[in-house]
């Protein structure tokens, strides 16, 4: 798995790259099949919606489940990340964001580096967020919306929002969003299950509520260069793992390893 | 202004009809220019957002402003309505729904007849909702989302939601929405300023929040056949006008009548 020069350029210009059909429906179904058991667990790794008992985010999944233990080392996501970063990476965070049908709530405008820097003392905005769509993501079920090219302006000013959602978030103010959107415009990341996505640590994004009857579950793996590791241990391990061992890719069929035919 | 047979068929099949570029940018700008003064008024006709002081809906506009007094009789909206209904109509409600940038809130799944029947004792689902987009409506700023064909199933079961928004709304439950969407799918009504829209009284629709930097203001005129007039006066006049005089179209250039060149 190697990104083309055009894909690399597109990633650096836009701050994100969509990779259609990167995972097969069989692979997506195997991943989805792990979720009911994981979501049913009452543990600090499972964050629930502010206004309901529905799981919004389930973290630390590679330490809780064999399929996710292999998925974090999948070459179709890890090799592009290593190609972009040109150095060894560790696993910073592993989660599924489940914006469930009818009940999924908003994620305000933010970028990941604000949290990585502010909470964990990560020096530079180098971490990559690697996604796999586990459901179709469309205009109705709360797609991630990117402000194209907003990563190029460097870290935008932020403030801590502990009110809107169940998960404290360093958000970008309206005036800054207005200016960044005027410059780059908005793009919603949409596609069928199995679509993958890579985006930059300073890329401003948000997502709306999900009032549709369709769930919108997305797998998210954040990897970070070893040279850029966390320097502060304020948050629990599942929010930023302490284990900074370099992660190496498995084989392309790794997800089905050990699964009976 | 006359709808084609194909347009009439489309309206009856889908429950809505989009009319691109029905109003010019000059007409839209004239309408928009009326809003700051109207929205600044502190009166029961102006409904504000639940979580802010921003005006969400301003009603009774034809009784408060000359341009709106002419707009309710505009032939480009009124003639198609009379063509569909084949009988005289009165002006039931005249408003602008302003889903402002960053702050516009959700409208849960509902259909207008639930309110018209439940609150005002309107006998049949005949009223038509006629819209003009005053801003570009796109996938990011909270477009109306229709469940295509949902009007054909007749009035769906509803319950009164007084919690989610600042405006009490008879909403449709999740199971019903799920079944209707499985049957007809979702369609977002999008287009540049000046786009018009007609939709049926039993058509289930909703709209998401507006977290974009773009306002989404829509003019809405509801007309109802005289034979189907309200039978209960529970709500204030601006929510359902008592004056059931038949309304007649003005000339096509009526908006600019009396406006200095």
């Amino acid at each position: 798995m190697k990104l083309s020069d055009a894909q690399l350029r597109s990633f650096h210009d836009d701050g994100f790259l969509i990779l259609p059909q990167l995972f097969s429906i069989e692979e997506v179904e195997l991943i989805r099949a792990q979720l009911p058991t994981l979501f049913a667990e009452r543990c600090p790794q499972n964050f629930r919606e502010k206004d309901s008992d529905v799981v919004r985010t389930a973290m630390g999944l590679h330490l809780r489940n064999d399929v996710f233990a292999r998925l974090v080392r999948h070459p179709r996501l890890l090799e592009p990340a290593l190609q972009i970063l040109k150095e060894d990476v560790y696993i910073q965070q592993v989660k599924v964001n489940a914006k469930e049908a009818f009940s999924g709530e908003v994620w305000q405008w933010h970028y990941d580096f604000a949290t990585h820097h502010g909470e964990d003392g990560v020096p530079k905005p180098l971490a990559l967020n690697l996604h796999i769509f586990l459901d179709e993501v469309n205009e109705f079920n709360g797609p991630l919306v990117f402000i194209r090219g907003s990563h190029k302006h460097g870290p935008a000013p932020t403030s801590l929002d502990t009110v809107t959602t169940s998960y404290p978030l360093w958000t970008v103010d309206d005036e800054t969003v207005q200016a960044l959107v005027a410059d780059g415009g908005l793009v919603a990341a949409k596609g069928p299950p199995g679509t993958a996505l890579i985006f930059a640590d300073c890329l401003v994004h948000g997502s709306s509520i999900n009032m549709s009857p369709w769930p919108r579950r997305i797998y998210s793996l954040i990897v970070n260069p070893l040279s850029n590791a966390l320097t502060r241990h304020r948050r629990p391990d599942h929010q930023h793992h302490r284990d900074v061992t370099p992660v190496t890719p498995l084989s392309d069929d790794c997800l089905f390893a050990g699964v009976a035919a």
Side-chain angles (χ1 to χ4, degrees), chain A residues 4-78:
Chain A
S4 69
D5 287 349
Q7 285 176 315
L8 283 171
R9 232 179 358 255
S10 171
F11 172 78
H12 287 296
D13 286 349
D14 297 338
F16 65 91
L17 181 66
I18 296 173
L19 300 165
Q21 294 180 291
L22 193 68
F23 287 83
S24 72
I25 194 66
E26 291 75 21
E27 289 171 319
V28 168
E29 280 170 358
L30 176 65
I31 299 166
R32 281 201 297 232
Q34 312 308 310
L35 300 182
T37 307
L38 288 163
F39 282 19
E41 291 171 22
R42 295 267 156 194
C43 58
Q45 289 89 336
N46 285 354
F47 295 76
R48 290 163 198 279
E49 295 281 8
K50 192 182 163 203
D51 292 336
S52 70
D53 199 47
V54 173
V55 170
R56 172 193 183 86
T57 303
M59 291 192 180
L61 298 177
H62 63 312
L63 304 178
R64 301 164 60 189
N65 176 280
D66 282 349
V67 171
F68 284 100
R70 296 193 296 271
L71 186 57
V72 295
R73 299 179 60 192
H74 202 290
R76 266 175 263 150
L77 281 181
L78 203 47

Side-chain angles (χ1 to χ4, degrees), chain A residues 5-6 48 92 113 130 135-136 142 148 155 197 209 239 253:
Chain A
D5 287 349
R48 290 163 198 279
Q92 174 173 330
F113 181 64
L130 315 172
D135 295 298
E136 177 182 298
R148 192 195 291 271
L197 185 63
I209 60 170
Q239 291 193 44
D253 61 354

Side-chain angles (χ1 to χ4, degrees), chain A residues 167-205:
Chain A
Y167 187 88
L169 201 62
W170 290 90
T171 58
V172 180
D173 66 48
D174 293 354
E175 291 69 30
T176 306
V177 168
Q178 181 110 40
L180 291 171
V181 172
D183 194 54
L186 295 177
V187 183
K190 295 177 282 194
T195 303
L197 185 63
I198 304 177
F199 64 93
D201 215 26
C202 271
L203 188 70
V204 180
H205 59 285

